[in-house]
Amino acid sequence: MTRSPSKSCSESGRKPKTVHSYRSVLDRLIVPHLGRTQLSMLRPIAVSKWVGKLSQTLSASQTRQASRLLAQVMASAVDNDMIASTPCRGVRLPRIPEADPRILTVEDVGRLAAHCELGDRVPVLLLAYGWRRRFVQAVAAGLDDVTPHDLRATHASWVADSHGVLVAARRLGHANASVTTRSGTEVAQG
């Protein structure tokens, strides 16, 4: 995989920061490991081993980013008749671990809202009770680790408890109720 002349940002339609990020991933993670291999000789087994090696030292997210960039390069090589098929096909990527959301009680949401500045109080309450807009997390006494995801999961839990998982799934925009149950609709005590 030898380097080809890079297009300018305006030619590629990508922002300079994106191009810089891609170049960094290429230079640090792809070229040192796969750069000496001819495109036509690169096989899925080699890509799988490379992904495994990256997974030992990088986060799942960073490994997936490097793999996606390699897949884009290989897809371009296929599109330009440089290779018949991409060696990235069928390569399993590491899963990104999902954090379990913290399900708040009604009292927790009330306490959180009470400790927010007025401008943050309404978004906190709306998100906890079903509004899906992102906001700057308010810091409250005893609940300083609450995230917008926690509030959304709290809402899902309350809706599932009072109206059922199917209603919660529709409210959250999930096409399948199993996604809702996996994303933490357990009911908090209190």
Side-chain angles (χ1 to χ4, degrees):
M1 231 175 70
T2 58
R3 286 190 206 181
S4 61
S6 60
K7 292 181 178 181
S8 71
C9 295
S10 60
E11 288 178 69
S12 70
R14 290 184 173 79
K15 295 180 181 177
K17 184 176 178 181
T18 302
V19 172
H20 177 74
S21 174
Y22 285 176
R23 173 53 63 193
S24 175
V25 170
L26 277 169
D27 291 344
R28 289 180 307 107
L29 304 175
I30 297 175
V31 173
H33 298 277
L34 303 172
R36 294 185 184 270
T37 306
Q38 289 182 6
L39 284 177
S40 62
M41 300 306 290
L42 192 56
R43 300 286 181 256
I45 188 74
V47 175
S48 290
K49 286 180 181 179
W50 170 72
V51 166
K53 191 172 186 178
L54 290 182
S55 296
Q56 293 174 357
T57 57
L58 299 176
S59 69
S61 178
Q62 291 171 316
T63 300
R64 291 174 71 88
Q65 179 188 25
S67 299
R68 280 192 309 268
L69 182 57
L70 179 64
Q72 289 174 347
V73 169
M74 293 299 136
S76 180
V78 170
D79 291 346
N80 288 288
D81 297 323
M82 298 171 79
I83 54 176
S85 63
T86 175
C88 297
R89 68 187 180 281
V91 173
R92 297 192 72 136
L93 300 178
R95 293 183 65 127
I96 296 176
E98 292 183 26
D100 289 333
R102 177 177 173 190
I103 306 300
L104 307 178
T105 64
V106 173
E107 292 78 17
D108 287 340
V109 172
R111 242 179 342 144
L112 176 62
H115 285 89
C116 291
E117 293 182 21
L118 186 58
D120 291 332
R121 189 171 300 147
V122 171
V124 165
L125 292 171
L126 288 173
L127 187 58
Y129 294 112
W131 195 46
R132 293 180 58 180
R133 184 169 177 214
R134 292 182 186 223
F135 67 100
V136 176
Q137 180 179 342
V139 176
L143 294 172
D144 59 348
D145 60 341
V146 174
T147 67
H149 181 73
D150 294 333
L151 292 174
R152 186 166 189 262
T154 297
H155 170 70
S157 176
W158 292 351
V159 171
D161 184 47
S162 59
H163 302 289
V165 174
L166 291 176
V167 173
R170 265 195 317 266
R171 176 76 63 90
L172 295 173
H174 296 162
N176 188 326
S178 67
V179 172
T180 308
T181 57
R182 281 197 313 267
S183 62
T185 56
E186 65 274 0
V187 179
Q189 299 301 316

